């Protein structure tokens, strides 16, 4: 089905419409063999509050952006190669329902659909696209992904020293490796995480020690498993640069 659509006029026209909606600031999306599978509005959990984002699923990439004018204009385009994507379902809790984690080596975040059926369709289509890509390329699924950040609202004190209280003066910081909310003194070190940045990024002392001794893998795996199995009602993604907040901390 996808192969038949790849060179169809209807598919080319649909992709062109998406390109035009992002305007000159967006990257070109029309390439040979690319097919637009589906699109829709999902609630992406950002740093301060959940925000509606327009998502477009292609057979090789996932694209999303801020909604300026519904169905007509979007900005802050993000393009995620599907080969690097893994997804995990999130249990319903409170008002946050029908969600799943989108995990990549660069960034990981949670999204929520309006209905259980919509969630199922999104997850099935994403998994099918990823499976087809890996089958064609002969690559293996990615086992590395960025941590989902613990939201600011869930930490009144540093999650490492358990002593420093956060105030307007004593700011929260996030470890780029484990996603914990930590104080300045507990996150003074930086470490090069090539999948996330070309420059050394802020990490907590705990992760720095583990990375320095090569013992980080087991810790990171346990961290992500516990997060996907036990979501919090105020779960946010603070790692996204489309938030209003400065994401450098």
């Amino acid at each position: 089905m996808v192969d038949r659509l790849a060179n169809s006029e209807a598919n080319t026209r649909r992709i062109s419409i998406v390109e035009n909606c992002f305007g000159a600031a967006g990257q070109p999306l029309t390439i040979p063999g690319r097919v637009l599978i589906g699109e829709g509005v999902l609630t992406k959990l950002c740093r301060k509050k959940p925000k509606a984002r327009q998502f477009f699923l292609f057979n090789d990439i996932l694209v999303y952006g801020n909604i300026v004018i519904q169905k007509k204009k979007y900005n802050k385009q993000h393009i995620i190669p599907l080969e690097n994507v893994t997804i995990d379902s999130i249990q319903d809790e409170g008002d946050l329902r029908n969600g799943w984690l989108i995990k990549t080596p660069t960034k990981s975040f949670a999204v929520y659909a309006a209905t259980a059926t919509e969630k199922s369709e999104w997850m099935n289509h994403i998994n099918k696209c990823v499976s087809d890509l890996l089958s064609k390329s002969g690559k293996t699924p990615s086992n590395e992904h960025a941590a989902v950040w613990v939201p600011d609202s869930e930490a009144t004190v540093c999650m490492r020293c358990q002593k420093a209280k956060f105030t307007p003066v004593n700011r929260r910081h996030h470890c780029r490796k484990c996603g914990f909310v930590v104080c300045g003194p507990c996150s003074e070190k930086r470490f090069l995480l090539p999948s996330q940045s070309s420059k050394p990024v802020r990490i907590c002392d705990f992760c720095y020690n583990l990375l320095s001794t090569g013992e980080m893998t087991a810790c990171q795996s346990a961290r992500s498993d516990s997060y996907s199995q036990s979501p919090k009602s105020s779960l946010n993604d603070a790692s996204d640069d489309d938030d209003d907040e400065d994401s450098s901390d």
Side-chain angles (χ1 to χ4, degrees):
M1 179 67 175
V2 170
D3 292 336
R4 291 203 305 271
L5 290 172
N7 299 313
S8 71
E9 291 185 8
N11 178 65
T12 301
R13 186 167 58 253
R14 291 174 67 199
I15 295 178
S16 178
I17 291 173
V18 175
E19 284 185 343
N20 292 335
C21 286
F22 278 103
Q27 296 184 36
L29 298 172
T30 304
I31 65 170
R34 176 168 290 164
V35 175
L36 178 58
I37 305 297
E39 62 183 88
V41 176
L42 298 174
T43 298
K44 181 177 179 295
L45 298 186
C46 302
R47 183 164 200 163
K48 287 296 183 182
K49 61 181 180 180
K51 298 177 182 179
R53 296 287 184 256
Q54 181 73 29
F55 280 78
F56 300 92
L57 176 63
F58 296 83
N59 59 330
D60 61 335
I61 58 174
L62 183 65
V63 178
Y64 71 92
N66 295 8
I67 301 171
V68 180
I69 303 175
Q70 184 68 43
K71 297 291 184 180
K72 292 184 178 181
K73 186 177 181 181
Y74 313 110
N75 64 12
K76 296 189 178 179
Q77 183 191 68
H78 297 261
I79 299 178
I80 303 174
L82 286 178
E83 276 190 348
N84 299 328
V85 168
T86 56
I87 59 177
D88 287 331
S89 179
I90 298 175
Q91 296 175 4
D92 293 343
E93 182 172 320
D95 294 333
L96 295 179
R97 308 179 69 82
N98 312 313
W100 67 97
L101 293 178
I102 296 176
K103 303 188 295 185
T104 80
T106 304
K107 68 183 347 177
S108 301
F109 55 91
V111 293
Y112 285 80
T115 66
T117 299
E118 187 179 344
K119 169 186 174 178
S120 178
E121 290 177 348
W122 270 102
M123 292 188 70
N124 288 339
H125 284 308
I126 292 173
N127 278 328
K128 180 66 165 59
C129 289
V130 173
S131 177
D132 288 347
L133 281 172
L134 294 177
S135 177
K136 290 179 180 179
S137 67
K139 296 180 180 179
T140 56
S142 175
N143 59 4
E144 178 185 1
H145 59 82
V148 179
W149 286 13
V150 173
D152 290 356
S153 59
E154 291 197 16
T156 57
V157 298
C158 175
M159 298 178 71
R160 287 305 182 194
C161 69
Q162 300 290 324
K163 296 177 181 179
K165 292 184 179 181
F166 296 122
T167 67
V169 176
N170 187 27
R171 297 179 57 198
R172 292 171 172 82
H173 302 278
H174 280 85
C175 171
R176 294 302 192 274
K177 189 60 181 176
C178 68
F180 278 16
V181 184
V182 290
C183 64
C186 285
S187 59
E188 292 179 339
K189 297 182 176 62
R190 293 180 178 267
F191 199 91
L192 181 62
L193 302 177
S195 62
Q196 296 189 39
S197 175
S198 60
K199 300 178 180 179
V201 293
R202 181 189 295 272
I203 62 173
C204 67
D205 292 347
F206 180 78
C207 287
Y208 181 85
N209 292 335
L210 290 180
L211 285 166
S212 299
T213 57
E215 298 178 2
M216 191 68 227
T217 303
C219 172
Q220 179 65 16
S221 177
R223 167 78 180 88
S224 62
D225 289 346
S226 64
Y227 209 89
S228 62
Q229 291 171 9
S230 182
K232 300 296 184 181
S233 58
S234 58
L235 175 64
N236 291 310
D237 170 42
S239 62
D240 202 336
D241 56 10
D242 67 352
D243 290 331
D244 297 330
E245 299 289 323
D246 178 5
S247 62
S248 62
D249 289 329

